[in-house]
Amino acid sequence: MGKRYKIGLIDDEEHILDILIQEISMLPDYEVGFATSDPFLGLEHARDGMADILITDILMPELGGLELSRKLIDSGIPVIICSGHSRYAIQGYKVEALHFLEKPPESLDLAEALEKAKKKLDTLYWVRKEIEEEIRVISDKLGYRHQVFNPSKILYMEQQNKKSIVKLDDGSEFSMSSSFQESLMKLRSRYMVRVHQSYAVNILKVSKLHPEECELVSGDRISTSRTYREELRRIFESRRIN
């Protein structure tokens, strides 16, 4: 069985949502990821990965479909505009909407729009999957500067005052203005292990364990505190071969 694409639906008219839900239920490659009349909740759901494709109305209270689409331009989610106001079709393309459907949507038009979105996703799927698994991007608070890195290349992270300094195996480094625990969560690397109140190491980069520190393949020696030392030893104990 092939991949089923999740469709997010946002419309402040409940009967339109009911029509879309019914139509999508009859299409074999698609299912409804969420359906809501609240555009703010819909935007949150879309950003949380609850939809591969989004169908949204244009005229909604407080947050219209055009502004909502603009907020999702960098997400990679194809957006289909569904509206009774065809004069907005051109504006939809300005925010990179993939297709325009008139209300109430015809079955064939809906299937065509979803097929168009599916083809776009298929061309990006493996690239996006690779990026999601292997690449992370850290931005500064204003979003002006972006640091792209591979989590497997991290050596260790050190907390200095209110900044987390991340050292990479090519000798470079970058910083994050957040607490130690927040920074660990942002890195989203399953290989990062806390070994001290101020240090976390990439477990794949540890070459030797000493009584009060661990040595990395780079030669860096990182202090280990009593609180975390035993857990570190347990990780390696399971791999002992003599």
Side-chain angles (χ1 to χ4, degrees):
M1 184 175 180
K3 174 181 172 62
R4 288 175 63 84
Y5 294 85
K6 296 178 293 184
I7 314 301
L9 305 174
I10 307 174
D11 200 303
D12 59 350
E13 298 181 76
E14 294 288 348
H15 74 283
I16 295 296
L17 287 177
D18 291 339
I19 291 172
L20 288 167
I21 290 170
Q22 178 63 29
E23 293 288 347
I24 290 169
S25 70
M26 294 187 289
L27 298 172
D29 294 334
Y30 308 96
E31 61 187 28
V32 174
F34 69 85
T36 180
S37 58
D38 182 340
F40 291 99
L41 182 60
L43 177 60
E44 183 180 336
H45 286 339
R47 285 173 167 170
D48 287 344
M50 293 177 62
D52 299 306
I53 301 166
L54 182 69
I55 300 178
T56 180
D57 188 13
I58 284 184
L59 298 180
M60 295 181 289
E62 298 186 65
L63 180 63
L66 293 176
E67 180 60 25
L68 192 151
S69 300
R70 189 174 289 109
K71 291 178 180 295
L72 291 172
I73 282 178
D74 294 331
S75 70
I77 300 174
V79 176
I80 297 168
I81 298 294
C82 183
S83 175
H85 304 276
S86 58
R87 66 182 183 274
Y88 288 109
I90 299 299
Q91 293 185 44
Y93 291 114
K94 289 181 180 178
V95 293
E96 300 186 19
L98 186 69
H99 201 89
F100 183 91
L101 294 172
E102 285 197 71
K103 285 185 180 180
E106 296 287 338
S107 300
L108 288 177
D109 290 341
L110 175 61
E112 178 184 336
L114 290 176
E115 184 65 20
K116 189 175 180 180
K118 177 175 175 287
K119 287 179 179 178
K120 180 178 180 180
L121 284 172
D122 285 346
T123 60
L124 297 174
Y125 177 73
W126 292 110
V127 173
R128 190 172 67 250
K129 182 177 176 63
E130 184 73 13
I131 289 175
E132 288 174 351
E133 290 183 353
E134 302 296 337
I135 301 297
R136 302 284 185 271
V137 181
I138 297 291
S139 303
D140 61 20
K141 285 187 176 180
L142 297 178
Y144 295 146
R145 186 168 51 83
H146 306 280
Q147 174 72 40
V148 180
F149 67 97
N150 186 324
S152 67
K153 304 299 184 182
I154 296 174
L155 285 171
Y156 66 92
M157 183 175 77
E158 177 184 2
Q159 191 70 13
Q160 296 180 4
N161 299 319
K162 295 182 179 180
K163 285 188 176 181
S164 300
I165 310 300
V166 180
K167 306 279 188 176
L168 304 179
D169 61 8
D170 63 359
S172 64
E173 65 179 54
F174 62 89
S175 64
M176 294 182 283
S177 298
S178 53
S179 70
F180 194 94
Q181 195 58 38
E182 287 175 329
S183 297
L184 274 179
M185 292 176 66
K186 288 178 182 178
L187 292 178
R188 291 187 294 125
S189 172
R190 61 184 181 274
Y191 301 121
M192 293 300 291
V193 176
R194 193 165 188 170
V195 296
H196 188 276
Q197 183 177 352
S198 302
Y199 290 98
V201 301
N202 180 346
I203 200 69
L204 300 180
K205 302 294 185 179
V206 176
S207 61
K208 296 178 183 178
L209 292 180
H210 300 286
E212 296 184 353
E213 58 187 12
C214 60
E215 187 173 340
L216 307 183
V217 292
S218 59
D220 292 290
R221 296 170 79 103
I222 307 299
S223 296
T224 58
S225 66
R226 183 178 300 175
T227 305
Y228 303 101
R229 195 175 300 142
E230 191 55 37
E231 178 61 26
L232 184 62
R233 290 190 178 279
R234 274 200 295 268
I235 291 174
F236 286 98
E237 189 67 27
S238 64
R239 298 301 179 187
R240 179 178 289 192
I241 59 175
N242 61 352

